[in-house]
């Protein structure tokens, strides 16, 4: 029996400090929360938000390094930091927009906020994962928390249904993801990402059927999480049924984490065999954009519409991924930021317009909103226009960046498809604007009290949507630094990457 | 591993897993699943995965499956009275599943290599070597798993907890038979 | 020799000021002011023209007065400026335009004495004077085109002056649109000239430049361009095939008919051909065309005039016919003869119209000659002046018309166009016939005036009769500036115009007396026939009309040309626009494609939406389909 | 004695995996669908163990350990969700869970 | 660097828009909006005076780094072509606001003024941007205010029209975005410099195929905006349903963005393709001229009629542009101004009568001259300007266009000239049906004539019609050097093409397939 050598353990506190903070906070929130009435859970929310802020600062402090910890299980690079910051940002705003929602819909506050924090933890793990198993566990941590959060309106059959559908398909696709991991493991002999990259670079496993099948299975697994067609079917139902802040969380946080994992695995560590997966992504991107937009076109429920729109946006992101050039990777990061910001804002507006207990989320309910709630309508308009890709909003710059990346990779036709899709998308986004500004009627609801948290969410999202759009330069820098740091490159100017 | 053993376990696991899919009574399904798991556990043992093989039987069969059993009893699930779903759906679903199987078979027919090709070190699959790896290479994953389980507990409680009183006034849930 | 003469600008300035005054202040300041300012500005212009004319004749022959008002269009090397030139041809035209114009303005004061809209009327009339002066004084084609379209506009405005009447409005539009058809040809002709010179580095439409560089044109270019310009001329001068607007234009106030549709505007085509004579000389085919159009139009219009009953319609067709003579003249190269006839025609046709106006005025708007008769005593001045004009138009010596018409016919004969000459003299006979028919029906015989109007018949006020008298004098003596060669002082006009329009070069020399005799004889024959038909045996016309009913009807209905145009141009155009372009192409095909694309997407959306059945197993099924596809792809990669 | 080829084990794992997929697609009872998913996970586990054995590496076995944990966690949450569904709707039939569609 | 005056010009309206949002009282909303629209007008007038006509390049240039990662800069500049359009824009916006305050907009005035002023920023920015990215940004930015203007304050089927307008435009503009990016990458591939700066991109080397595709994308975007036949069908709907001010700006300025785009971007960037495509565009332009006129002729709705007449007029503009000579393009740019002024005036006039009668059906009118003589007179002038009567502005443009085109293709002019005839036909016929004849409807007897505010709106336009007709040089002089530059680019491309024809087999064989530009996929992180 070999004595266990404690020194051999590559244990570092620092890189997981934010994670620990979040975990501790989640536990504290839970423990405190059991004594708090569900209708007074706002304090718990502030607590959660505060802890997120602390974790945010801690994460920020980690930037600029390029190492790993825990025997390569945890990557400490700007890529991880970028995504962790984004995830924390999202989590914070989901908490903020929940403050009024949770109390008014009587969600169990303790579980609610702690699960949000746990989900964030899972997401951050995915972002910082250095091996496939961490990605898997992070994914499961996140997913399980989200399944529960989606079903947390226990008496609402829609919420139940959202949870079970998401859960069943989620577990189903877990099988595929795992199978993929198993096969890649079989082909390369390791599940750590860095060694996989090295193995492939040295020709180990190249051309192995196992590797190819493994790649395919992992594509399926990630495809499910990012809601790519044809693995997208759960999305609208889950989005519609879940409590709205959780829908926002799914649309933003889960997407961020899934793309973090996806990017980490595929473009960053399987680049040696990119020829083997770009075509799949090509088709998937085209299908995802088209189906997402086409079906979004005929939706009548705004949450469902946003769900399909989220699918479509995943499609745009896949366009960049299919391009498989560094510039496109950075573009994805930037695009995600823009997408997340606008989505948070849009869901914030949706929440603000929900009545106590009764959802108010048919598009026709938005008619005449500009008259009743000019500020909310204006904000919603800006978010929708950002989705459409109208300059100078962040969505436009993101699209521009994505298209640049894709053209860099030579995907002209895919870009053309994306362009046509953007026009289609314009139609349904604009239709909401039509309802708000140009039609009369709708339900004059007593909207949910605009608490500071919600107002702050919408306001900050609004400012960010405009500001990042007008002055995107620093964020582009951050995105490209982040992406390239995971490639093992320093901060680089976009131009220097070009042929 | 002797081929005969493998074939025996393979046949058992396939038959029992088919049983999961085709039987009507949930209890029977569950029993079939348990048998499958045991057969797979035996395969683990045969593949020098001693610890994992026992864990399979203890944890999986012993804990998880019992959970299933509880739920079946809790919900008082009966035999599905009539086969539901249209025949066409079943047909296409079967085709699709068979397609998956066929594709995977073709794939693995392309792979080669005997199982015994690598002589494993002594102690391979032992609890010692497992622990070495688990707490060395995979410490982070291990620690994280604790969080995962915590989440699962919180989640399960949060969602399965009986409804809050006032909610019952709003929309009385039907009493669950206990 | 070009002499800077800034006062030329004043010629334009006065009518322009008059226009603005009448437009903005006329109605407010009242009839008194308008009656002074309206004609006053034209007299002022006339005075300047006279001054300029005197200056011109003191200079050596071939001199030009000129002034550049300001730069207009400078695009790249192309230049077109607001430059006025005052040479012999312009001088003559300007004298006619301002002189006759002034008289008609005066006449209008009386004619419009009872009309509410006098201010607008004089505004238009002043604007017309302005445009017409631009037309004749412009030193380049573009500037001239501005006048050309301007007079068309004024014609439009004045024809539909009494806008409340739907058919008047229609007549106005018809005039403008038909003119536009001609103008389009004119424009293309201009482009062709510019392009042809442009290829030699000369980007201009200046007359002097064109004339100096006429050698740069090939015959082909010149021919096509000239024909295109002729299209413009036929529009403005109401020649076949674009004459149709002029008869309808008679619905305007009668002084307008006199000024615009007889004396000045309609002669613009002739003026243009004469102005560009050097260019037309390069294109014999175009010249032939002009001559032929002229001759055919002359006889054609005359034949219609034979049977018209509306007094103004007769004069209108007569105008078309006389314009045909002018075309005939310039077409055979006798430019100065053509211009000579422009001048005399301005006198006598203006007079005829004004007299007709006087008659109509007296009869409260009655225009049907069969409801007149015996007015000789009641309207003595009108009768006398009109009789003089009729003699003039019938080319009875020594009235003005005789000299000009005779000169044209002689030139036609001498240029070898004997066929056209025959048409010309037949027309001459017809002219005297229908003109005397008019006189006899109106002033002789028994009164057929509606009984309730009889009491009101009165001679026009002196403000109207005075211009008649002046014009009558001109109709008599106006022709004496162009006596046949070797008679007394000879053809002074010809000599005066020669530097501007060149000399007529006959290819043969017909007997002067023979030619004159034949045409004179025919004219007299026409008079006698009219006398016989309408005074001696008034039943005869009916009999003939009855005998030749179909021919009569064809003529009475103006050869059904309006109906023909309607059938082959207007209606198909509207039909195509509405049915084919509007409904089929625009709404059905293009919008159908656009909306169809949208609809396809939406239908696709609705269909794929149905895939979301809410059933989680179907979701899984779709999922597995995706799995199958992806695995199949990798299987393909592995096996290949 | 015939050696068991490593691809045989993979084939077995594929077969069980496919049977699991079939179960998910065919069974209306969400509980049994969930059982089928467990089958799929076990098939994956088998693959992991086989791979680990082939390369003589322990990593695969460790992963199986994690997969079991995850399976347990999923089972807990999944069953809880099923219970909550059953409380509201008194059914575990997937066909009847279609409040939200289109 | 720069004086900042262009930035001031572009963003003053935006500041005004935000300022207007703060106003509460309706009067102060209109007043402040109008005053804020006068400021850019004043600036643009100053620029017009200060502009140096002898210079071809950009003046008052401002340039700052904006997104250095992409070589995108905030680069504004003013040349002769944009100068005149800027002045037109500021004038028309001011007049539209002046007019709209007089009762045309009866609800939500604050938002109306906001969108009008925001629109002005978009329009001015589009005209002044020298950086392609910046240009695209403003290009899209002008779309949405107009969409709201149509959708909220429109009549009839405003939503259908607004959405159609946006989607139609977006198809083209997104394609253009893709082409812009592709162009920049092509430039980068050849020179190693990443820039969106227009003057630099003029020198991009590209293969003929690439150029064709990119030109097609640019041309599609601009052709939709112009609109050229057959992508014009959004226009009648948009115009008919838009509020008066919307129609004025739409016709007066926005359509010019399409032609401006051709002149500034599509043609100078891809001169060789433009030359190649000349027959096509001339044919489309001529079809547009005739088609627009014919369909306009039979429209029963006044606004629809004017909308179709725009198709016809813009056909002339396109014809002139593709003449590729000074006369043609001078005329085209001049015609852009003319169309802005005369069609703007006509739309205002239709709006005025709509305000009184709440209908635009021609058959509802008749004999209006009797009851509204001033209106009739103003209408007459606008109409004459529109049909190109010499002495008014329309003629100068049409004349130069046809003159220039004649040199290029006499066939085109032979057909286009029918547009001159038809133009007169449908305008006069409309005028006749509306103004002339007896009053057939009782209500028409009592409608009131133009009030002071309306006259004040029309007077500047009328003055421009006359002044520009009589003295066009003060405008042509300023824009000609810039136009000459465009032509020079086309001509040098022509020279190149000719040379290539001479030196056969050398050029035009396949270019080597450049890495990362074709469909080949470059791998990630090639250095690891």
């Amino acid at each position: 029996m070999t004595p266990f050598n404690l020194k051999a353990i590559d244990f570092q506190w620092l890189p997981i400090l934010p994670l620990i903070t979040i975990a501790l906070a989640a536990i504290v929130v839970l423990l405190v929360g059991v004594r708090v009435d569900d209708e007074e859970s706002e304090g718990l929310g502030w607590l959660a938000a505060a802890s997120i802020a602390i974790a945010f600062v801690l994460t920020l402090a980690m930037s600029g390094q390029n190492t790993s910890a825990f025997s390569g299980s945890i990557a400490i690079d700007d890529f991880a930091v970028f995504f962790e910051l984004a995830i924390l940002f999202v989590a914070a705003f989901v908490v903020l927009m929940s403050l009024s929602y949770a109390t008014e819909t009587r969600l169990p506050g303790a579980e609610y906020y702690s699960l949000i924090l746990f989900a964030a933890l899972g997401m951050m793990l995915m972002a910082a994962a250095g091996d496939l198993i961490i990605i898997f566990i992070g994914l499961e941590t996140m997913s399980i928390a989200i399944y529960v959060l989606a079903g947390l309106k226990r008496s609402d059959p829609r919420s139940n249904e959202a949870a079970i559908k998401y859960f069943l398909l989620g577990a189903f696709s877990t099988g595929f993801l795992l199978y993929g991991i198993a096969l890649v493991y079989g082909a390369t002999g390791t599940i750590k990402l860095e060694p996989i990259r090295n193995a492939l670079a040295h020709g180990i496993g190249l051309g192995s059927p196992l590797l190819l099948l493994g790649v395919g299975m992992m594509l399926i697994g990630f495809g499910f999480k990012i809601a790519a067609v044809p693995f997208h079917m759960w999305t609208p139902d889950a989005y519609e049924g879940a409590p709205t802040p959780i829908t926002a969380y799914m649309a933003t946080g889960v997407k961020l984490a899934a793309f973090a994992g996806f990017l980490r695995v595929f473009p960053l560590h399987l680049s040696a065999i990119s020829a083997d997966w770009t075509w799949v992504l090509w088709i998937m991107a085209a299908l995802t954009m088209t189906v997402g937009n086409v079906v979004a076109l005929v939706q009548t429920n705004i949450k469902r519409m946003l769900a399909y729109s989220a699918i479509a946006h995943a499609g745009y992101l896949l366009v960049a991924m299919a391009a498989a050039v560094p510039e496109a990777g950075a573009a994805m990061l930037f695009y995600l930021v823009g997408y997340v910001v606008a989505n948070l804002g849009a869901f914030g507006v949706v929440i603000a317009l929900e009545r106590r207990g009764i959802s108010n989320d048919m598009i026709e309910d938005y008619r005449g909103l500009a008259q009743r709630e000019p500020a909310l309508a204006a904000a919603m308009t800006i978010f929708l226009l950002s989705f459409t890709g109208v300059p100078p909003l962040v969505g436009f710059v993101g699209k521009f960046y994505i298209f640049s990346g894709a053209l860099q990779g030579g995907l002209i036709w895919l870009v053309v498809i994306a362009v046509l899709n953007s026009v289609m998308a314009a139609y349904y986004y604009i239709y909401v604007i039509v309802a708000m500004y140009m039609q009369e009627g709708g339900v004059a609801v007593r909207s949910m009290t605009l608490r500071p948290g919600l107002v702050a969410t919408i306001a900050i999202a609004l400012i960010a949507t405009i500001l990042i759009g007008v002055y995107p330069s620093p964020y582009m820098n951050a995105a490209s630094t982040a992406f390239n740091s995971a490639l093992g490159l320093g901060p680089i100017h976009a131009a220097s990457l070009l042929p | 591993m002797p081929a005969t053993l493998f074939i025996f376990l393979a046949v058992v696991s396939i038959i029992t897993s088919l049983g999961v899919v085709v039987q009507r009574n949930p209890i029977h399904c569950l029993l079939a699943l348990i048998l499958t798991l045991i057969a797979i556990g035996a395969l683990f043992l045969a593949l020098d995965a001693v610890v994992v093989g026992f864990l399979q039987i203890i944890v999986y069969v012993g804990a998880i499956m019992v959970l299933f059993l509880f739920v079946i009893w809790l919900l008082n699930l009966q035999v599905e009275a009539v086969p539901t779903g249209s025949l066409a759906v079943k047909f296409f679903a079967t085709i699709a599943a068979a397609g998956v199987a066929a594709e995977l078979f073709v794939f693995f027919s392309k792979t080669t290599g005997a199982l015994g090709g690598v002589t494993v070190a002594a102690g391979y699959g032992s609890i010692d070597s497992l622990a070495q790896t688990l707490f060395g290479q995979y410490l982070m994953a291990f620690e994280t798993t604790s969080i995962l389980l915590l989440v699962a507990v919180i989640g399960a409680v949060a969602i399965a907890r009986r409804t809050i009183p006032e909610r019952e006034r709003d929309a009385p849930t039907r009493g669950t038979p206990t | 020799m070009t002499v800077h003469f800034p006062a030329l600008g004043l010629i334009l300035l006065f009518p322009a000021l008059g226009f603005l005054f009448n437009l903005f202040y006329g109605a407010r300041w009242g009839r008194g002011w308008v009656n002074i300012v309206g004609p006053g500005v034209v007299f002022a212009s006339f005075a300047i023209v006279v001054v300029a004319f005197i200056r011109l004749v003191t200079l050596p022959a071939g001199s030009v007065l000129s002034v550049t008002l300001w730069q207009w269009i400078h695009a790249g090397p192309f230049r077109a400026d607001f430059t006025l030139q005052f040479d012999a041809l312009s001088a003559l035209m300007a004298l006619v335009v301002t002189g006759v114009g002034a008289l008609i303005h005066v006449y209008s004061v009386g004619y419009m004495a009872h009309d509410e809209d006098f201010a607008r009327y004089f505004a238009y009339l002043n604007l017309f004077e302005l445009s017409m002066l631009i037309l004749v004084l412009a030193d380049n084609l573009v500037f001239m085109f501005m006048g050309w379209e301007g007079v068309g506009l004024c014609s439009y405005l004045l024809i539909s002056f009494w806008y409340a009447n739907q058919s008047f409005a229609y007549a106005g539009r018809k005039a403008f649109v038909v003119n536009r058809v001609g103008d389009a040809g004119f424009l293309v002709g201009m482009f062709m000239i510019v392009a042809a010179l442009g290829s030699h580095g000369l980007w201009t439409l200046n007359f002097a430049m064109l004339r100096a560089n006429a050698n740069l044109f090939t015959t082909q270019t010149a021919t096509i361009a000239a024909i295109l310009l002729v299209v413009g001329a036929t529009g403005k001068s109401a020649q076949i095939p674009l004459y149709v607007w002029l008869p309808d234009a008679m619905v305007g106030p009668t002084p307008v008919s006199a000024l615009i549709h007889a004396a000045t505007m309609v002669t613009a085509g002739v003026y243009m051909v004469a102005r560009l004579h050097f260019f037309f000389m390069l294109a014999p085919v175009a010249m032939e065309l002009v001559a032929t159009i002229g001759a055919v139009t002359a006889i054609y219009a005359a034949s219609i005039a034979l049977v018209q009953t509306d007094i103004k319609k007769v004069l209108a067709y007569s105008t078309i016919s006389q314009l045909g003579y002018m075309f005939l003249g310039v077409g055979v190269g006798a430019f100065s003869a053509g211009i000579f006839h422009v001048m005399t025609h301005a006198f006598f046709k203006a007079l005829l119209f004004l007299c007709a106006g006087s008659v109509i005025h007296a009869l409260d708007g009655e225009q049907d000659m069969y409801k007149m008769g015996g007015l000789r005593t009641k309207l003595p001045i009108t009768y006398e002046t009109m009789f003089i004009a009729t003699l003039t138009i019938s080319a009875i010596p020594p009235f003005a018309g005789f000299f000009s018409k005779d000169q044209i016919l002689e030139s036609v004969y001498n240029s070898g166009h004997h066929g056209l000459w025959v048409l010309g003299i037949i027309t001459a006979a017809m002219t005297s016939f229908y003109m005397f028919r008019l006189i006899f029906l109106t002033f002789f015989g028994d009164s057929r005036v509606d009984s309730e109007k009889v009491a009101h018949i009165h001679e026009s006020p002196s403000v109207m009769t005075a211009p008649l008298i002046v014009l009558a004098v001109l109709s008599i003596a106006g022709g004496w500036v162009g006596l046949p060669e070797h008679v007394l002082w000879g053809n002074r006009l010809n000599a005066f115009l020669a530097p501007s329009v060149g000399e007529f070069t006959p290819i043969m020399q017909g007997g002067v007396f023979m030619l004159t005799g034949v045409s004179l004889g025919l004219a007299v024959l026409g008079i006698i026939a009219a006398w016989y038909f309408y005074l001696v045996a008034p039943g005869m016309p009916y009999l003939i009309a009855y005998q030749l009913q179909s021919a009569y009807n064809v003529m009475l209905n103006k050869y059904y040309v309006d109906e023909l145009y309607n059938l082959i141009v207007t209606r198909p155009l509207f039909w195509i626009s509405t049915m084919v372009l509007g409904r089929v192409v625009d709404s059905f095909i293009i919008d159908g494609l656009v909306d169809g694309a949208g609809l396809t997407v939406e239908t696709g959306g609705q269909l794929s939406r149905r895939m979301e059945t809410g059933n989680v197993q179907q979701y899984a099924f779709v999922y597995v389909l995706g799995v199958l596809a992806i695995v199949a792809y990798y299987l393909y990669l592995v096996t290949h | 004695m015939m050696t068991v080829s490593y691809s045989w084990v993979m084939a077995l794992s594929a077969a069980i995996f496919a049977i699991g997929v079939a179960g998910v697609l065919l069974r209306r009872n969400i509980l049994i669908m969930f059982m089928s998913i467990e089958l799929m996970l076990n098939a994956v586990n088998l693959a992991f163990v086989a791979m680990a054995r082939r390369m003589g590496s322990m990593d695969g076995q460790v992963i199986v350990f994690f997969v079991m944990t995850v399976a347990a966690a999923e089972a807990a949450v999944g069953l809880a969700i099923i219970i909550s569904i059953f409380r509201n709707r008194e059914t575990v039939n997937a066909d009847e869970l279609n409040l939200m569609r289109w | 660097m720069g004086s900042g005056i262009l930035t001031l010009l572009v963003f003053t309206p935006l500041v005004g828009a935000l300022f207007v949002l703060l106003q509460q009282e309706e009067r102060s909303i209109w007043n402040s909006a109008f005053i804020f629209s006068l400021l850019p007008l004043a600036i643009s007038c100053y620029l017009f005076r200060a502009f140096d006509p002898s210079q071809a390049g950009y003046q008052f240039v401002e340039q700052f780094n904006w997104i250095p990662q992409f070589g995108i800069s905030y680069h504004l500049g003013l040349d002769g072509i944009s100068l005149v359009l800027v002045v037109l824009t500021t004038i028309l916006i001011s007049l539209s606001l002046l007019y709209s305050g007089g009762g045309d907009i009866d609800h939500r005035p604050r938002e109306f003024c906001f969108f009008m002023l925001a629109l002005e920023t978009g329009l001015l920015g589009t005209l002044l941007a020298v950086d392609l990215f910046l240009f695209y940004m403003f290009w899209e930015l002008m779309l949405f205010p107009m969409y709201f203007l149509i959708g909220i304050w429109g009549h009839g089927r405003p939503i259908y029209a607004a959405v159609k307008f946006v989607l139609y435009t977006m198809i083209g503009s997104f394609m253009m975005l893709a082409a812009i990016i592709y162009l920049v990458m092509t430039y980068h591939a050849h020179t190693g410099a990443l820039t969106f700066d227009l003057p630099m991109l003029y020198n991009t080397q590209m293969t003929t195929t690439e150029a064709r595709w990119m030109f097609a994308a640019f041309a599609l975007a601009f052709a939709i905006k112009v609109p050229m036949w057959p992508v014009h069908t959004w226009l009648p709907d948009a115009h008919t349903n838009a509020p008066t001010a919307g129609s004025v700006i739409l016709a007066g300025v926005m359509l010019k963005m399409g032609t401006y785009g051709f002149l500034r971007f599509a043609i100078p960037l891809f001169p060789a393709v433009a030359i190649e495509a000349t027959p096509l565009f001339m044919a489309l332009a001529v079809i547009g001229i005739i088609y627009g006129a014919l369909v306009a002729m039979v429209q029963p709705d006044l606004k629809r009629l004017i909308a179709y007449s725009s198709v016809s007029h813009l056909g002339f503009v396109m014809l002139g542009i593709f003449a590729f000579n000074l006369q043609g393009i001078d005329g085209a740019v001049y015609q852009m101004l003319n169309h802005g002024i005369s069609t703007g005036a006509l739309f205002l006039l239709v709006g005025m009568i709509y305000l009184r009668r709440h209908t635009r059906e021609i058959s509802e009118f008749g004999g209006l001259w009797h009851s509204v003589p001033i209106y009739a007179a103003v209408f007459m002038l606008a109409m004459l300007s529109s049909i190109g009567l010499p002495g008014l502005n329309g003629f100068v443009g049409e004349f130069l266009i046809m003159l220039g085109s004649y040199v290029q293709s006499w066939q085109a002019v032979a057909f286009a000239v029918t547009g001159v005839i038809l133009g007169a036909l449908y305008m006069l016929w409309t005028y006749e049906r509306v103004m002339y004849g007896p009053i057939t409807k009782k209500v028409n007897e009592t409608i009131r004539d133009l009030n002071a505010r309306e006259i004040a709106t029309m007077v500047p336009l009328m003055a421009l019609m006359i002044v520009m007709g009589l003295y066009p040089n003060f405008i042509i002089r300023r824009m000609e050097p810039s136009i000459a530059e465009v032509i020079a680019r086309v001509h040098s491309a022509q020279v190149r093409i000719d040379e290539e024809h001479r030196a056969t087999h050398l050029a035009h064989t396949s270019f080597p397939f450049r890495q990362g530009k074709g469909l080949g996929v470059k791998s990630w992180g090639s250095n690891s």
Side-chain angles (χ1 to χ4, degrees), chain A residues 242-494:
Chain A
T244 313
I246 299 309
T247 310
Y249 207 20
M250 287 198 249
T252 55
V254 173
K255 269 250 153 102
L256 272 173
F259 267 106
F262 206 171
L263 280 165
R264 179 76 84 178
V265 175
F266 278 82
L268 288 175
H269 289 95
L270 292 178
S271 55
I273 52 166
S274 64
D276 291 335
W277 46 263
T278 42
W279 279 109
V280 178
L281 287 183
W282 200 107
I283 306 274
M284 225 191 240
L287 276 177
T288 306
M289 291 184 289
T290 312
V291 171
N293 283 323
V294 167
V295 186
L297 209 63
V298 294
Q299 295 303 316
T300 48
N301 178 308
I302 190 133
K303 278 166 86 178
R304 263 185 112 72
M305 190 274 269
L306 287 172
Y308 281 107
S309 126
I311 293 173
H313 283 282
Y316 299 134
L317 284 158
L318 286 178
V319 169
M321 200 180 261
V325 289
E327 195 47 38
M332 289 176 71
L333 265 56
F334 184 87
Y335 191 92
L336 275 167
V337 169
Y339 162 80
V340 158
V341 165
N343 239 320
L344 283 176
F347 277 108
V349 176
V350 173
I351 290 171
L353 293 172
E354 279 194 19
R355 269 186 299 180
R356 207 183 278 262
I358 303 164
S359 64
N360 186 37
D361 44 30
M362 301 306 281
I363 293 175
E364 45 190 58
D365 295 337
Y366 282 66
R367 286 189 185 162
L369 190 67
Q371 307 273 41
R372 295 194 297 273
E373 300 275 0
L376 280 180
M380 189 68 171
T381 305
I382 296 287
F383 298 134
L384 291 172
L385 290 181
S386 177
F387 286 144
T388 315
V390 173
L393 304 174
V394 66
F396 163 71
V397 185
K399 265 204 183 99
F400 169 79
Y401 208 166
I402 289 262
F403 290 171
S404 306
L407 287 176
Q408 202 95 58
L411 304 180
I412 297 167
W413 286 110
L414 195 56
V415 169
V416 171
I417 294 173
V419 160
L420 291 176
N421 265 291
S422 303
V423 178
M424 243 196 290
Y427 180 78
Y428 59 84
Y429 293 128
I430 281 173
Y431 211 80
V432 179
I433 301 176
V434 164
M436 292 192 297
Y437 278 86
M438 302 168 195
Q439 290 179 332
E440 300 294 323
V443 197
V445 295
R446 187 176 63 79
S447 57
M448 193 171 279
T449 31
L450 281 173
R451 302 252 175 103
L454 193 54
V455 173
T457 312
I458 298 173
I460 293 176
L462 188 64
I463 292 169
T465 304
I466 297 170
L467 209 64
I468 304 182
V470 172
Y471 191 58
S473 195
Y475 305 91
M476 284 183 171
N477 257 343
S480 82
T481 309
F483 191 81
N484 294 318
S485 80
L487 271 178
L489 305 173
I492 33 175
H493 196 261

Side-chain angles (χ1 to χ4, degrees), chain A residues 221-243:
Chain A
F222 282 117
F224 172 82
K225 276 294 160 200
I226 63 165
V229 174
F231 314 116
H232 68 290
M233 307 282 279
W234 58 277
T235 326
D237 291 358
Y239 279 29
E240 187 187 341

